[in-house]
Amino acid sequence: SRGLPPPAPPTILDPPPVRSSIARSSRAPHEPFLSDAPPPADSWIAVETSPGEYRLIARLPGFRRDAITLAARRRRVLHVVADSWEPDGGHFERRISFGYDADLGRVRAEFDGEILRVIVPRRTPALTWYGEACE
């Protein structure tokens, strides 16, 4: 009996490097669109797995709902970006890589002002039978 290998578990990829203010000042005489401030010290992200879905839980204190963006990239990476220009705000950015069973076209999310909950449904792989036909 041949089957598909199990999907790769979700992986939280390293955040992009912080842009230096020296490099920024030599490129453009204006403020950047995204905040260069680090994320709040008490922000974090975790991934939980169940048979039917992946659940991402991110603590984003000080961020507003309209400043959080979720984007699917290359159909296997979910990009979470949050920006706050408040005095104790910052820039939070994480990429989460999923296996072949994640359905990033049906992602659902909710934000209560501190905790972002993201549900990524899992696809059930289609079964293919390679055995002999029964008569």
Side-chain angles (χ1 to χ4, degrees), residues 9 12-13 27 32 36 42 46 51 55-56 61 67 69 82 87 98 111 134-135:
I12 300 173
L13 305 172
R27 282 195 328 244
D36 276 338
D42 53 351
R55 286 183 299 278
L56 276 68
T69 303
F98 291 92
F111 183 62
C134 297
E135 294 185 30

Side-chain angles (χ1 to χ4, degrees), residues 13-122:
L13 305 172
D14 292 332
V18 176
R19 298 177 301 267
S20 71
S21 60
I22 296 169
R24 183 183 72 224
S25 65
S26 64
R27 282 195 328 244
H30 53 78
E31 289 297 315
F33 178 72
L34 299 175
S35 171
D36 276 338
D42 53 351
S43 62
W44 49 264
I45 189 166
V47 181
E48 298 173 354
T49 302
S50 72
E53 64 191 17
Y54 295 108
R55 286 183 299 278
L56 276 68
I57 300 152
R59 184 165 192 271
L60 300 173
F63 292 96
R64 293 183 1 189
R65 179 177 179 241
D66 60 352
I68 298 172
T69 303
L70 299 175
R73 304 179 91 185
R74 288 179 263 145
R75 298 189 332 174
R76 297 210 16 212
V77 176
L78 184 68
H79 200 165
V80 179
V81 180
D83 279 293
S84 174
W85 293 270
E86 301 297 324
D88 40 335
H91 176 77
F92 180 90
E93 184 171 354
R94 295 292 184 278
R95 294 171 298 138
I96 301 91
S97 174
F98 291 92
Y100 63 83
D101 66 335
D103 188 354
L104 293 178
R106 296 184 357 193
V107 172
R108 297 182 322 267
E110 62 181 36
F111 183 62
D112 66 7
E114 184 172 325
I115 302 293
L116 173 67
R117 289 176 184 83
V118 181
I119 305 296
V120 179
R122 295 178 77 175

